[in-house]
Amino acid sequence: MTASDSLPLTATRRFPPGFLWGTATAAYQIEGAAAEDGRTPSIWDTFSRTPGKVFEGHTGDVAVDHYHRFRDDVALMAELGLTAYRFSVSWSRVQPTGRGPAVQKGLDFYRRLVDDLLAHGITPVLTLYHWDLPQELEDAGGWPHRATAERFAEYAGIVAGALGDRVERWTTLNEPWCSAFLGYGSGVHAPGRTDPVAALRAAHHLNLGHGLAVRALRAALPPRARMSVSLNLHELRPLTPAPEDLDAVRRIDAVGNRIWLGPMLKGAYPEDLLRDTAHLTDWGFVRPGDLADVHQPLDSLGINYYTPTVVAAPRDGVEAPRNDGHGASAYSPWPGSEDVAFHQPPGERTAMGWAVDPTGLYDLLLRVAGEHPGLPLLVTENGAAYEDEVAADGSVHDPRRVAYVHGHLDAVHRAIADGADVRGYFLWSLLDNFEWAYGYAKRFGAVHVDYATQRRTPKSTAHWYARVARSNELPAPGGA
């Protein structure tokens, strides 16, 4: 029996003192003001304008106008009792060409945002890169090009110089797997390229950019600053216990998880990953000294989780399905393991078609805690999209989202009880927003946004989560 097994279902779960209760957003998804104050196009500006790439041609030009409404949004966070806010900086707003001097108006926006957060007692958690590479750097080769990692470190130093006196928590990259393999492999994300070798090169240079950025940040920031990265680690399960399905888990674990955990936390790529991809590349783009650069000490690891992934070996005469939840494409985001079959997990689904299974988060936290003892963890994204409706009185009642978050917070609490050092939870997302290739068709927000008027309306989830955050306690299922 584990410690969590002994807690009755009717009991209130109390979280450790100082546990961070936050929400998360990303710059391109919420800011808008796409051409104001010196900002230039990122790869997502270009991608969203490419016919057929984003639902109904939606763009982030206006998004939810956070650039002009951030003070109201921060006040809303304070009303909800949140103690932390994870946001990203728009690289092309700060450094429009991805090289050279910064645009002070861009930095001033983030200075004002951070000052307002601090004035309301909210800890800013800054992410340097959430997928919005300056288009000029993509034109020069993008993440498959080594120089992009070097430019990223320079950009990190610029942001640190501007905000290092205000921000203590720094995250280099958000979900580099998506940047590399959805952006350069399957092409369902910006920049929309479909080259498996370019995707692997991008993965390495994202790893390298992370390590170089950590070094740049530590050189520019006071000793109290804390470094992290946020990874969308895949909680993998075999379709059957058959050896071939277990090997499918191993293969996807290599290219989905250990491609990041190995270099960042152990200083080496997994040997089986190199074997699985040897027919594509000899990995000659990894130069001597790179892995030492990547392997930098971290103060925490961010984990993003939404749903588990079920995989299997291909069956003779049966086309392998790829229900991996990462968008439809004729090209695979799994280089070297393109023939692995992905199956839909059983159970209830969100509007994204993702299975609701909090046990996946529990298992993932315990795995990482066991493999990397002593490294504090943060759940930096977790949430659900549903078909929200505005009632006649203007309210938005979303009990399925409340149940989703409750179940996953219970999983976090159980993981803590069983030894995982989890320090905080960030609900995705604060606001309904531009949901990448899905445009404005999917709503993840705790706060509803009327896109025509930009009116914000806290949903039931927001009010429920506020009570949890203020009390530092998770009520029993069905509790207030």
Side-chain angles (χ1 to χ4, degrees):
M1 176 181 288
T2 64
S4 63
D5 290 332
S6 63
L7 193 64
L9 289 176
T10 55
T12 295
R13 281 104 166 112
R14 184 156 187 82
F15 283 78
F19 192 83
L20 290 175
W21 294 102
T23 58
T25 63
Y28 188 72
Q29 293 182 273
I30 67 167
E31 284 182 2
E36 292 187 34
D37 294 335
R39 184 187 180 280
T40 58
S42 73
I43 55 175
W44 270 96
D45 294 272
T46 302
F47 188 77
S48 64
R49 284 174 169 73
T50 304
K53 295 298 185 181
V54 174
F55 177 77
E56 293 188 351
H58 294 171
T59 74
D61 286 0
V62 176
V64 296
D65 198 31
H66 177 73
Y67 190 77
H68 300 112
R69 300 169 186 262
F70 75 91
R71 294 193 191 281
D72 292 339
D73 292 337
V74 173
L76 183 56
M77 287 182 242
E79 289 175 18
L80 295 174
L82 303 182
T83 56
Y85 174 52
R86 178 175 173 253
F87 64 96
S88 76
V89 173
S90 166
W91 189 346
S92 60
R93 190 180 297 286
V94 166
Q95 198 184 27
T97 65
R99 55 173 64 85
V103 171
Q104 289 304 312
K105 285 185 177 181
L107 287 173
D108 285 344
F109 166 70
Y110 296 106
R111 290 185 178 106
R112 292 191 298 270
L113 171 61
V114 169
D115 286 346
D116 216 37
L117 290 167
L118 294 173
H120 285 84
I122 300 170
T123 298
V125 181
L126 186 152
T127 299
L128 286 167
Y129 186 75
H130 198 132
W131 306 354
D132 48 354
L133 185 71
Q135 182 61 45
E136 190 162 319
L137 288 186
E138 173 60 23
D139 293 341
W143 283 110
H145 187 49
R146 185 182 188 85
T148 303
E150 298 164 352
R151 300 290 82 74
F152 181 62
E154 294 167 4
Y155 156 68
I158 287 172
V159 180
L163 298 174
D165 60 335
R166 300 163 166 88
V167 177
E168 292 187 12
R169 292 181 174 271
W170 295 76
T171 303
T172 54
L173 306 171
N174 179 78
E175 299 187 353
W177 184 88
C178 295
S179 297
F181 297 114
L182 301 185
Y184 295 93
S186 66
V188 299
H189 278 191
R193 290 161 63 178
T194 54
D195 179 347
V197 177
L200 292 168
R201 291 177 64 93
H204 175 63
H205 294 135
L206 283 155
N207 274 325
L208 181 61
H210 155 79
L212 295 177
V214 170
R215 280 188 172 170
L217 291 171
R218 292 208 185 275
L221 296 172
R224 68 177 184 275
R226 304 180 198 179
M227 305 296 134
S228 189
V229 63
S230 287
L231 305 177
N232 59 316
L233 298 176
H234 300 78
E235 172 53 29
L236 295 160
R237 295 171 176 174
L239 183 66
T240 77
E244 58 269 26
D245 288 354
L246 294 176
D247 190 62
V249 168
R250 178 201 62 75
R251 296 178 71 95
I252 299 304
D253 187 53
V255 75
N257 297 333
R258 290 180 286 121
I259 194 171
W260 317 109
L261 294 172
M264 290 182 181
L265 301 184
K266 296 182 178 180
Y269 283 106
E271 289 295 329
D272 59 330
L273 171 68
L274 304 185
R275 290 194 302 270
D276 292 345
T277 56
H279 63 290
L280 295 172
T281 176
D282 63 2
W283 289 76
F285 44 81
V286 180
R287 298 183 185 176
D290 279 5
L291 290 170
D293 287 335
V294 175
H295 185 210
Q296 298 299 310
L298 295 177
D299 301 295
S300 64
L301 177 68
I303 294 176
N304 298 355
Y305 171 86
Y306 294 91
T307 188
T309 302
V310 176
V311 298
R315 292 345 189 211
D316 289 342
V318 179
E319 183 178 356
R322 200 174 76 234
N323 297 320
D324 60 7
H326 295 299
S329 172
Y331 300 89
S332 173
W334 307 100
S337 295
E338 296 89 349
D339 61 344
V340 169
F342 289 78
H343 296 265
Q344 284 279 15
E348 178 194 349
R349 304 193 183 288
T350 70
M352 297 290 289
W354 299 344
V356 177
D357 189 346
T359 66
L361 178 55
Y362 171 85
D363 291 342
L364 189 57
L365 291 171
L366 264 291
R367 170 195 169 171
V368 177
E371 292 179 355
H372 305 282
L375 180 62
L377 306 178
L378 297 166
V379 178
T380 40
E381 283 186 28
N382 176 243
Y386 288 108
E387 303 294 339
D388 301 317
E389 295 183 5
V390 180
D393 63 359
S395 65
V396 181
H397 186 48
D398 58 339
R400 295 179 68 192
R401 186 177 287 107
V402 172
Y404 178 99
V405 179
H406 188 288
H408 286 78
L409 283 175
D410 180 67
V412 172
H413 188 275
R414 290 192 297 112
I416 294 171
D418 291 339
D421 184 10
V422 186
R423 305 285 183 89
Y425 175 92
F426 293 79
L427 176 65
W428 185 271
S429 176
L430 174 66
L431 302 159
D432 290 337
N433 54 46
F434 176 84
E435 186 49 42
W436 307 114
Y438 295 94
Y440 298 98
K442 305 297 183 186
R443 293 180 178 268
F444 276 87
V447 176
H448 181 273
V449 178
D450 181 322
Y451 297 122
T453 66
Q454 295 293 348
R455 179 177 178 175
R456 274 79 160 140
T457 303
K459 305 173 189 177
S460 300
T461 294
H463 297 299
W464 178 87
Y465 188 58
R467 291 192 291 273
V468 173
R470 288 196 184 98
S471 66
N472 203 40
E473 293 180 347
L474 181 67

